[in-house]
Amino acid sequence: MAIVIDEPVKVGAVFSRGTIRPVWFAWNGRQVRIKETTFIWTTFEGSSTIHHFSVSDGKGLYEICFQSDSLHWRLARAEES
């Protein structure tokens, strides 16, 4: 079952040709290396565009979000085994 986290996180990402590819994020004192991005979608809150990434490190599934106007990342949800 996924747990709502909704915390700011540091993310290492590659920005190239209009795309964003998260590579790792720091959470709970550890660095989570992303092995797979399973789904990407975009939502809008007012004038802000939020890019959502469903990612996996091979053990857990996470949703991280990038808010393009503030350039902030958040960990929205986590499901760890």
Side-chain angles (χ1 to χ4, degrees), residues 34-66:
I34 296 169
K35 291 186 177 180
E36 181 181 15
T37 300
T38 58
F39 195 66
I40 300 171
W41 70 102
T42 303
T43 60
F44 303 92
E45 290 183 13
S47 63
S48 180
T49 303
I50 303 169
H51 304 276
H52 301 260
F53 301 86
S54 177
V55 298
S56 174
D57 65 350
K59 299 174 191 167
L61 187 62
Y62 309 90
E63 178 189 338
I64 57 176
C65 307
F66 176 68

Side-chain angles (χ1 to χ4, degrees), residues 13-24:
V14 175
F15 292 78
S16 176
R17 299 181 189 158
T19 64
I20 307 167
R21 184 175 56 88
V23 178
W24 60 265

